[in-house]
Amino acid sequence: MKILSLCPASFASNCYALISGDRALVVDPSISCEAIMNAVAAEGAVIDGIILTHGHFDHIISVDTLRKNACAPVMIHKEDAEMLGDGHKNAFFTFFGRDMAYAPADKLLSDGDKIKVGEEELEVIHTPGHSKGSVCYLVGNIMITGDTLFSDNVGRCDLYGGSDSLLRDSLSKLSGYDPKIKIYPGHGQSALLRDALDNVAYFR
C-alpha cells in the first residue's frame, strides 16, 4: 500500500490517497478535486472510492465535486451519515454562520467492515468520541486516524456528537493494536501509534 499525503489547502485538514496497484481510495477530500485527481493520476491510478473518517466540514470540502468527477462512491460510518446534509451538525454553521450541506453517502459503514482497494483491504474501526461515527482505517502497518488521534493530541469533543468518555474508550481500543503501526491523522504529522498514545496519556 502506498499512501500519498496531500498538503492541506484549507482548514489545515489532511487528505490522503491510498494506492494499491492502479486503484486508489481518497480519504477526507479537504483540498480541491483537481489537486486530488492530478495527484492520483500521476501515480497511474484510478479512484475507486472516497472514504471519510467523520462528517465535519473541514474533511469533506470537495466530496461532492470529487464524487461527480471521479464517478466514485462516498463512504462514511452510519452514525455520521446525517452530518453530510446538515450544516449545523457538520459544524460549518458553527464557524461561518451559514449552512453547508452535501449529498448523502453512497455507502454506510459499520465497525469491522472491509473496503477493498486493488489487492488489499482496509478494516473499518469505529472510534466514536470526536463525533458519533468517527472511524479509523487500518491496512497493513498504516492507520488513518482522522480526528480521533493526532501525533500529540486528540480531537475536540465539544461539537455535535462529541463525547469525552467515548473518546477515552476509543483510545483504549486503539491501544490494543500493534504499537509500531504508523498513524496518519486528520491534522498534523504522522507518528507511531505508541508515541501518539503516550503523548495523550494525560487525556486517557
Side-chain angles (χ1 to χ4, degrees):
M1 176 67 67
K2 180 174 184 178
I3 182 167
L4 298 182
S5 181
L6 305 179
C7 295
S10 61
F11 307 112
S13 300
N14 292 328
C15 173
Y16 300 105
L18 303 176
I19 300 175
S20 177
D22 62 354
R23 317 309 293 183
L25 290 174
V26 174
V27 186
D28 289 356
S30 58
I31 63 175
S32 75
C33 170
E34 181 181 15
I36 295 169
M37 294 189 71
N38 286 345
V40 173
E43 297 293 325
V46 175
I47 299 171
D48 275 349
I50 303 160
I51 57 176
L52 306 178
T53 61
H54 62 292
H56 286 143
F57 75 91
D58 54 327
H59 294 260
I60 58 175
I61 292 297
S62 63
V63 66
D64 282 348
T65 308
L66 184 62
R67 168 173 23 200
K68 178 180 179 181
N69 284 274
C71 297
V74 172
M75 294 168 259
I76 192 171
H77 190 274
K78 59 186 178 182
E79 293 291 339
D80 268 14
E82 61 181 346
M83 297 172 72
L84 293 178
D86 189 322
H88 290 269
K89 292 177 179 177
N90 67 39
F92 195 90
F93 191 90
T94 303
F95 288 92
F96 302 105
R98 61 185 180 89
D99 197 13
M100 179 62 75
Y102 298 86
D106 300 291
K107 182 177 180 180
L108 301 184
L109 302 172
S110 298
D111 187 55
D113 281 354
K114 300 294 193 296
I115 304 172
K116 187 173 178 62
V117 54
E119 297 302 315
E120 300 179 75
E121 275 189 340
L122 282 70
E123 176 189 355
V124 178
I125 306 168
H126 186 208
T127 53
H130 179 63
S131 67
K132 292 188 292 184
S134 284
V135 298
C136 298
Y137 296 105
L138 176 66
V139 55
N141 64 348
I142 292 172
M143 183 183 288
I144 309 295
T145 55
D147 286 6
T148 295
L149 178 64
F150 307 134
S151 63
D152 59 355
N153 210 335
V154 295
R156 61 191 293 177
C157 300
D158 59 338
L159 297 175
Y160 174 78
S163 166
D164 288 0
S165 61
L166 286 179
L167 184 53
R168 290 188 183 94
D169 291 343
S170 291
L171 296 177
S172 294
K173 183 176 183 178
L174 293 182
S175 71
Y177 288 84
D178 183 348
K180 295 180 181 178
I181 284 172
K182 191 169 185 179
I183 71 161
Y184 290 83
H187 301 272
Q189 302 300 311
S190 58
L192 292 181
L193 178 60
R194 66 185 177 199
D195 293 336
L197 289 172
D198 284 348
N199 288 337
V200 298
Y202 73 93
F203 180 83
R204 296 174 62 198

